[in-house]
């Protein structure tokens, strides 16, 4: 497989009145052409900040990209000029579906105006051609009476319909990479399933690569090819989706799966919870970030931060302990 995006040692900091926030701490990953990569972890672990750093959507200051590279087709997205990023990459080659469509859509502009804007900016279409393309996009994402919908405003749509509009806007310029930032979080389970099915179908039609950000491991199973598990600004495990479910090798991944409701479990068996709370990101990382909550912790965990180490084919974890045997690595 050809790598379309390769991120190496990305570090993002925020300068605040309370001190330095260590949001992303030297993470590395890649995305292959046409694949779906899921990025999983609880709120505040750095999933969205990582992707917004790559697209340079963070306000600077207070944000600072303190190090790393993000290579897209031979270009470092962290170093190319702002005007090139705005006109040639963001929205055209790499598009993003944001988490809350109600706050992402402009409430005083029609849906048609917001979809055609990117078409006129990036594809240099005239108004008539842009409107025809906008109608095609709304029909593609399953909205009926698409031409009339162009005249409507965001408040006239339901949550699921607004999310479909966001997907249509993201797909307007046929991007090579689509980043979906928890696009089903605010939706009920029926609409969630419809959005996931829609994205899978569109991926097959357009042959784009997808990065799907979520904290819902249940969504990942039927959607992703590979999974990166994040915790406190680090990637702690990366593997094919089958290995994540069949052979979780990091204590945090194991704990997340143990907390997931399953239809094949006995009903009288209690779900497990993860004791404690994530570490404060205002404290400079030292040692394994999961150590205070880990049942497999050893002395080395508090002294040295583990790096991602292969434990199988296309499977790596950042942990000092083999959780199957209890032996230190």
């Amino acid at each position: 497989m050809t790598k379309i995006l390769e991120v190496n040692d990305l570090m993002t900091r925020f300068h605040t009145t309370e001190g330095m926030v260590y949001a992303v701490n030297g993470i590395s990953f890649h995305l292959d052409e046409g694949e779906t990569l899921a990025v999983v972890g609880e709120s505040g672990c750095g999933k969205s900040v990582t992707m917004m750093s790559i697209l340079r959507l963070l306000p600077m200051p207070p944000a600072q990209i303190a190090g790393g590279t993000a290579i897209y087709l031979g270009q470092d997205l962290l170093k190319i000029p702002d005007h090139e990023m705005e006109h040639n990459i963001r929205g055209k080659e790499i598009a993003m579906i944001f988490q809350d469509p109600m706050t992402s859509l402009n409430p005083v502009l029609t849906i048609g105006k917001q979809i055609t804007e990117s078409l006129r900016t990036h594809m240099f279409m005239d108004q008539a051609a842009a409107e025809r393309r906008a109608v095609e996009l709304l029909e593609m994402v399953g909205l009926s009476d698409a031409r009339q919908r162009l005249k409507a405003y965001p408040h006239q749509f339901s949550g699921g319909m607004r999310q479909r509009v966001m997907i249509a806007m993201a797909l307007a310029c046929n991007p090579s990479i689509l980043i979906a930032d928890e696009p089903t979080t605010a939706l009920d389970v029926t609409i969630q399933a419809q959005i996931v099915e829609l994205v899978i179908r569109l991926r097959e039609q357009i042959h784009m690569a997808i990065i799907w950000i979520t904290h819902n491991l249940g969504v990942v199973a039927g959607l992703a090819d590979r999974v990166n598990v994040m915790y406190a600004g680090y990637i702690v495990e990366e593997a094919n989706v089958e290995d994540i479910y069949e052979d979780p090798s990091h204590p945090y991944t194991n704990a997340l799966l143990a907390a997931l409701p399953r239809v094949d479990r006995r009903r009288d068996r209690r779900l497990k919870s993860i004791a404690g709370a994530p570490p404060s990101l205002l404290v400079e990382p030292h040692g394994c970030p999961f150590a205070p909550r880990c049942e497999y912790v050893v002395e080395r965990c508090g002294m040295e931060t583990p790096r991602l180490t292969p434990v199988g084919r296309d499977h790596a974890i950042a942990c000092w302990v083999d959780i199957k045997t209890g032996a230190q690595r």
Side-chain angles (χ1 to χ4, degrees):
M1 296 290 288
T2 303
K3 294 180 182 178
I4 191 172
L5 176 68
E6 188 168 11
V7 177
N8 293 296
D9 204 25
L10 177 66
M11 292 184 286
T12 303
R13 308 284 184 256
F14 289 91
H15 300 269
T16 72
T17 55
E18 297 182 19
M20 182 82 78
V21 176
Y22 297 86
V24 177
N25 300 305
I27 69 171
S28 301
F29 67 92
H30 72 274
L31 177 69
D32 293 331
E33 286 185 348
E35 80 164 341
T36 299
L37 172 67
V39 182
V40 177
E42 58 196 294
S43 298
C45 71
K47 306 183 300 294
S48 299
V49 171
T50 296
M51 302 310 157
M52 294 182 78
S53 298
I54 293 170
L55 286 178
R56 305 222 318 247
L57 288 172
L58 297 172
M60 299 185 189
Q64 175 195 7
I65 298 177
T69 59
I71 308 300
Y72 170 71
L73 300 180
Q75 303 178 86
D76 187 351
L77 299 179
L78 305 182
K79 294 180 180 176
I80 63 175
D82 290 341
H83 67 87
E84 185 176 346
M85 189 72 184
E86 180 177 354
H87 291 287
N88 298 331
I89 301 295
R90 192 189 303 125
K92 183 179 181 181
E93 295 290 332
I94 306 176
M96 189 165 185
I97 305 170
F98 294 96
Q99 186 168 347
D100 184 358
M102 193 63 216
T103 57
S104 300
L105 292 168
N106 191 322
V108 299
L109 296 179
T110 63
I111 294 301
K113 177 71 173 177
Q114 296 183 63
I115 296 177
T116 57
E117 181 181 13
S118 63
L119 292 167
R120 299 187 69 179
T121 300
H122 297 300
M123 308 298 285
F124 307 107
M125 292 183 178
D126 60 32
Q127 186 62 32
E131 288 185 0
R132 287 195 296 272
R133 174 61 175 161
V135 170
E136 293 175 2
L137 288 164
L138 291 181
E139 290 174 345
M140 184 188 299
V141 298
L143 288 177
S144 59
D145 199 12
R147 185 162 293 279
Q148 288 300 116
R149 301 284 189 190
L150 294 181
K151 303 174 184 177
Y153 290 85
H155 72 272
Q156 296 175 285
F157 288 69
S158 68
M161 291 168 68
R162 285 193 291 267
Q163 197 59 279
R164 289 171 186 267
V165 170
M166 289 294 297
I167 294 172
M169 290 174 63
L171 298 179
C173 300
N174 292 323
S176 299
I177 299 174
L178 177 67
I179 300 173
D181 187 2
E182 302 198 39
T184 62
T185 297
L187 307 176
D188 64 64
V189 291
T190 302
I191 304 301
Q192 282 185 24
Q194 292 175 3
I195 295 298
V196 171
E197 289 174 7
L198 171 63
V199 171
I200 293 173
R201 175 169 58 82
L202 293 174
R203 178 189 63 183
E204 294 171 353
Q205 290 179 0
I206 303 174
H207 306 293
M208 61 186 171
I210 298 173
I211 299 177
W212 187 282
I213 303 170
T214 184
H215 60 260
N216 188 344
L217 278 166
V219 171
V220 168
L223 177 69
D225 299 307
R226 288 190 301 116
V227 181
N228 285 348
V229 181
M230 287 192 69
Y231 185 80
Y234 293 91
I235 293 177
V236 296
E237 183 162 8
E238 60 179 17
N240 294 326
V241 67
E242 295 85 1
D243 290 338
I244 285 290
Y245 286 91
E246 295 175 5
D247 186 28
S249 299
H250 192 280
Y252 179 57
T253 311
N254 198 50
L256 286 177
L257 289 169
L260 186 68
R262 293 176 51 165
V263 296
D264 58 348
R265 279 202 182 125
R266 290 173 49 185
R267 297 183 64 181
D268 60 349
R269 183 176 175 181
R270 293 179 62 86
L271 293 175
K272 292 185 177 180
S273 61
I274 305 175
S280 171
L281 298 181
L282 288 166
V283 179
E284 186 172 2
H286 181 71
C288 176
F290 190 61
R293 308 173 73 184
C294 182
E295 59 183 291
Y296 303 95
V297 65
V298 295
E299 185 178 358
R300 189 180 185 186
C301 299
M303 301 169 59
E304 190 177 350
T305 304
R307 304 288 292 182
L308 278 173
T309 304
V311 292
R313 184 180 178 184
D314 299 323
H315 193 166
I317 65 168
C319 185
W320 296 125
V321 179
D322 184 332
I323 63 174
K324 297 181 182 65
T325 64
Q328 294 190 43
R329 299 184 185 278

